[in-house]
Amino acid sequence: MINRRKFIQASAFTGLATAIGQPLRGNDLHPAIKGKPVVVSTWDAGIRANKAAWDILSKGGRALDAVEKGVMVTEEEQNCCVGLGANPDRDGFVTLDACIMDEFSNCGSVAFLERIKHPIAVARRVMEKTPHVMLVGSGAQQFAVAEGFPLEEQKLSPEAEKAYKDWLIKSEYKPPAINVENKQGGHGPFAPARLSNGEWNHDTIGMVAMDTNGNLSGSCTTSGAGFKMRGRLGDSPIIGAGLFVDNEVGACTATGQGEDVIRVAGSHSVVELMRQGLSPEMACKKVIERIIRIKGPKAKDIQVGFLAINKKGQVGAWSIHKGFEYAIRNQGEERLVKAKFVME
Ligand code: GLY
């Protein structure tokens, strides 16, 4: 599994925090990212994903190519939450969700896709080669195979294998609190889970980029919630929830508890707030606050983060809880940034 601490320790911000003798707090950081090209993606895996995206953007390539190739790096890595080695559903099957969107509002999506290594590449084929936006399950797999994607054997990463075995001991299905009075909630191994050290695990890679022509695209890919019900989809394959791009305004991607991102059409809502003049950061904050209002006290049990970019190339993010971070790359600069948050 990716060691986020190592990245945090290696980041320039740790040096900054040490220099001023203060603990590192997301709310103290005001990244002023301007100009193009630029790419941003969720969590520390984004550092490596951004490198692949930057190879394309820095040569004048299209943002769409960058966001596809970028997140394919994460799909290739064996981590808990993205790609074929990720946490399975409660029946032991890894099911993958992904979507992609370009500057012309073309979009493609696959969901509940099994045994295909690069769901994001299949999502792009759905966008480019079919009259549809979304293919799911066996139909998505059939399309992928027809397009030449090999059917892989499912092989859980050692971490996912152990996590699943541990989960099987009790086999307790406890998704986080839902927004209905008097229904039993509780925190379980969902997306993203809170770790024993109090930090939030990550669950998805979402990437948005602007190329040298000022065009925007985005991608989002995940295995979804660990040990989810078979057939469950989160926000990541849903255009407007896990990802939205409007080339006149900006782009946004989401990470975290998919059900609560879908509830507010999260990424679309952020883009619409940017359309009304809010900065990417303030737009993300407003939608996070909306989720918190809807969830009430149960918001403490879930994590959601938004990451957005506007047409000026300005970037912003906000999350419910401390711990969400994103990777940025522009004009040779690459770093990990702690997002602002509402709750510790
Ligand atoms: N955000 C990923 C999921 O909920 O599936």
Side-chain angles (χ1 to χ4, degrees):
M1 189 185 299
I2 294 158
N3 185 338
R4 293 199 293 128
R5 277 194 183 285
K6 277 193 191 140
F7 274 92
I8 294 165
Q9 281 161 3
S11 80
F13 285 114
T14 306
L16 175 65
T18 307
I20 59 176
Q22 296 293 324
L24 199 60
R25 282 183 62 89
N27 284 353
D28 295 334
L29 302 174
H30 297 276
I33 309 307
K34 287 198 176 129
K36 59 191 180 190
V38 56
V39 57
V40 288
S41 54
T42 55
W43 305 106
D44 60 346
I47 290 278
R48 295 179 297 284
N50 284 359
K51 269 190 208 309
W54 188 256
D55 280 349
I56 293 168
L57 293 172
S58 60
K59 294 181 184 112
R62 192 175 166 204
L64 178 68
D65 295 324
V67 298
E68 180 194 13
K69 293 294 181 294
V71 302
M72 280 170 74
V73 169
T74 318
E75 289 178 341
E76 189 84 38
E77 292 174 348
Q78 297 290 302
N79 75 26
C80 68
C81 314
V82 179
L84 273 180
N87 286 337
D89 65 18
R90 63 184 187 176
D91 295 343
F93 299 102
V94 177
T95 70
L96 302 175
D97 304 331
C99 73
I100 193 160
M101 190 162 186
D102 75 5
E103 71 269 34
F104 304 112
S105 298
N106 294 317
C107 42
S109 159
V110 287
F112 195 51
L113 177 62
E114 294 176 304
R115 297 180 52 195
I116 299 288
K117 194 189 258 181
H118 289 300
I120 195 68
V122 185
R124 183 167 176 176
R125 298 282 177 95
V126 172
M127 174 175 98
E128 291 180 338
K129 294 202 162 181
T130 81
H132 308 301
V133 166
M134 197 165 192
L135 291 179
V136 305
S138 58
Q141 191 190 67
Q142 198 179 325
F143 171 72
V145 170
E147 283 293 310
F149 291 87
L151 260 192
E152 313 277 346
E153 288 310 315
Q154 175 177 301
K155 189 167 181 339
L156 299 186
S157 68
E159 290 82 5
E161 185 89 52
K162 180 178 179 326
Y164 183 53
K165 280 189 180 142
D166 289 350
W167 181 80
L168 280 176
I169 294 167
K170 288 191 179 166
S171 296
E172 269 181 337
Y173 190 67
K174 277 191 177 177
I178 56 173
N179 187 45
V180 177
E181 284 303 312
N182 301 323
K183 284 254 176 96
Q184 193 64 34
H187 185 69
F190 233 58
R194 191 160 221 167
L195 303 172
S196 52
N197 64 7
E199 290 185 2
W200 293 86
N201 203 355
H202 57 93
D203 66 317
T204 302
I205 183 155
M207 176 179 279
V208 288
M210 177 185 278
D211 60 30
T212 46
N213 293 321
N215 286 324
L216 296 166
S217 287
S219 59
C220 190
T221 180
T222 188
S223 60
F227 326 126
K228 61 197 172 187
M229 282 179 76
R230 189 145 175 79
R232 177 264 185 194
L233 301 183
D235 59 314
S236 301
I238 301 190
I239 298 294
L243 177 71
F244 194 69
V245 177
D246 183 323
N247 204 44
E248 287 182 358
V249 177
C252 177
T253 189
T255 181
Q257 187 61 40
E259 285 75 3
D260 294 302
V261 177
I262 294 170
R263 230 183 278 290
V264 295
S267 292
H268 180 261
S269 296
V270 170
V271 171
E272 289 309 305
L273 288 167
M274 290 195 288
R275 192 191 306 280
Q276 290 169 26
L278 267 63
S279 68
E281 189 173 277
M282 284 302 107
C284 292
K285 178 173 188 261
K286 284 267 177 231
V287 181
I288 287 293
E289 287 170 348
R290 191 177 301 167
I291 293 173
I292 291 172
R293 264 200 315 278
I294 290 168
K295 297 295 285 186
K298 291 167 185 162
K300 72 177 180 359
D301 293 331
I302 59 157
Q303 173 66 310
V304 171
F306 292 110
L307 172 60
I309 182 172
N310 66 13
K311 275 299 267 189
K312 293 180 198 157
Q314 294 169 322
V315 170
W318 211 282
S319 57
I320 296 180
H321 290 277
K322 182 181 176 179
F324 173 44
E325 55 197 351
Y326 63 92
I328 62 172
R329 179 99 196 231
N330 72 342
Q331 309 295 3
E333 180 183 31
E334 64 179 323
R335 55 188 171 142
L336 205 52
V337 179
K338 290 180 173 295
K340 298 180 183 182
F341 54 86
V342 177
M343 302 178 199
E344 286 285 327

